[in-house]
Structures are given as structure tokens and as C-alpha cells.
């Protein structure tokens, strides 16, 4: 039996909002990073609803309800695939997606009304502002902040370089 414990995964925080088309495009990079690193990288969505997107705050709360029901990433991906629908229809679409994924849609509706997840969303947004996040998506890995809201060009390669360096340092 070995006394060694597996190395902790490298954490990649993505400040995102679900009405943001750039965040939808960032999913391609998330999939590629997961395929390359598997469980050696932990991708965490952090909420950064933007005022210009009317339904982004409700969507962030809905993600937290999806997490409470055990399907955060499937929900995130389903909503990001429909950013135009979200802009048009708002909360009804969020509840509809929950039902499509087999989640308790009635509980989603209740969670959006009672605001039970507001503190999580507010805390993420405050932390993002404190570290200089101004738009989405913004990535933080190994203490380095990378702004994907300006351009996704070359971003995955930069993230991979940082992840490779951090993982090599663990060995």
C-alpha cells in the first residue's frame, strides 16, 4: 500500500454568465481541456452576471439549483447552447431546460422566486470584481487571470501551458 495521496487537481475558475455568447463559445475549450487533462483539472464555473444581460442573474441562480439537484454542468451547457432563447424568454426557458434534463422544474421555479441561491451568486461576483474581472469569460488558473471576453484566440494554449507547468510542479 502506498502512503502517497494523489495530487490535487489544478483548478481552473471560469467567470461566466449564461446569457453570454462568448461563454457559449468557450465550451469548446472546456471540452478540450477536460479531454486532455481528465480529473487532473477541475473546471469550476464562477458567476459573473452582467447588467447588460437581463436574465443572467436568474440564470446564475438556476445553475446553483441545478447543482443542488446534481446536474450543474449538463444544465450549464444546455442553457449556454440557447443564449438567444434566454434573451427572448428569460426564466420560463430556464425552467423548461430543467424539465428537459429531468430536474425538478417546480423546485427551480421556487428557487428563482425565493432567491435561495442569491448569496452564492453575489459572492462569486464580488470575488470576480475584487480580482479584476470585468467581462466574461474570464479564466483564473494558477493565480493568473486570462480575459476571454476580449478574444478567445490562443487562450486554450495559454491555459494548457499554465496547467502543464502546475502539474509538472506537483510531481
Amino acid at each position: 500500500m502506498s502512503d502517497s495521496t494523489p495530487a490535487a487537481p489544478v483548478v481552473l475558475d471560469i467567470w461566466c454568465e449564461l446569457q453570454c455568447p462568448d461563454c457559449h463559445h468557450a465550451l469548446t475549450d472546456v471540452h478540450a481541456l477536460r479531454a486532455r487533462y481528465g480529473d487532473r483539472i477541475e473546471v469550476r464555473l464562477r458567476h459573473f452576471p452582467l447588467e447588460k444581460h437581463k436574465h443572467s442573474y436568474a440564470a446564475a441562480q438556476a445553475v446553483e439549483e441545478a447543482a443542488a439537484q446534481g446536474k450543474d454542468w449538463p444544465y450549464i451547457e444546455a442553457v449556454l447552447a440557447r443564449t438567444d432563447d434566454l434573451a427572448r424568454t428569460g426564466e420560463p426557458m430556464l425552467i423548461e431546460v430543467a424539465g428537459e434534463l429531468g430536474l425538478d422544474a417546480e423546485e427551480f421555479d421556487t428557487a428563482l422566486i425565493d432567491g435561495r441561491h442569491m448569496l452564492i451568486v453575489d459572492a462569486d461576483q464580488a470575488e470576480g470584481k475584487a480580482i479584476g474581472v470585468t467581462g466574461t469569460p474570464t479564466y483564473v488558473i494558477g493565480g493568473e487571470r486570462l480575459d476571454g471576453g476580449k478574444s478567445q484566440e490562443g487562450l486554450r494554449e495559454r491555459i494548457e501551458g499554465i496547467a502543464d507547468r502546475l502539474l509538472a510542479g506537483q510531481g
Side-chain angles (χ1 to χ4, degrees), residues 14 60 72 93 101 144 152:
I14 304 174
D72 51 349
M93 190 223 99
L101 293 173
E144 294 187 47
Q152 294 285 118

Side-chain angles (χ1 to χ4, degrees), residues 5-114:
T5 57
V10 169
V11 174
L12 172 63
D13 283 331
I14 304 174
W15 265 265
C16 177
E17 68 116 277
L18 279 89
Q19 203 175 328
C20 170
D22 290 333
C23 289
H24 168 76
H25 298 301
L27 279 178
T28 303
D29 288 338
V30 169
H31 292 153
L33 291 165
R34 284 189 170 143
R36 178 174 174 172
Y37 295 104
D39 62 2
R40 295 178 305 147
I41 192 165
E42 178 185 354
V43 180
R44 300 188 309 196
L45 180 106
R46 307 296 300 275
H47 303 292
F48 203 79
L50 300 170
E51 287 183 24
K52 68 181 180 178
H53 292 138
K54 180 179 176 184
H55 305 292
S56 63
Y57 194 83
Q61 292 179 76
V63 166
E64 290 303 318
E65 183 57 33
Q69 294 187 32
K71 289 193 176 177
D72 51 349
W73 277 99
Y75 187 81
I76 290 164
E77 293 193 22
V79 173
L80 280 173
R82 297 169 60 180
T83 55
D84 290 339
D85 288 349
L86 179 57
R88 273 194 311 279
T89 61
E91 290 182 23
M93 190 223 99
L94 297 170
I95 295 164
E96 179 183 315
V97 169
E100 291 169 2
L101 293 173
L103 297 167
D104 184 341
E106 193 172 302
E107 194 62 27
F108 264 75
D109 191 32
T110 303
L112 291 172
I113 292 166
D114 71 21

Side-chain angles (χ1 to χ4, degrees), residues 15 48 122-134 140 145:
W15 265 265
F48 203 79
D122 291 346
D124 272 4
Q125 190 167 41
E127 184 180 339
K129 286 179 180 177
I131 65 166
V133 174
T134 58
V140 176
R145 182 173 42 88

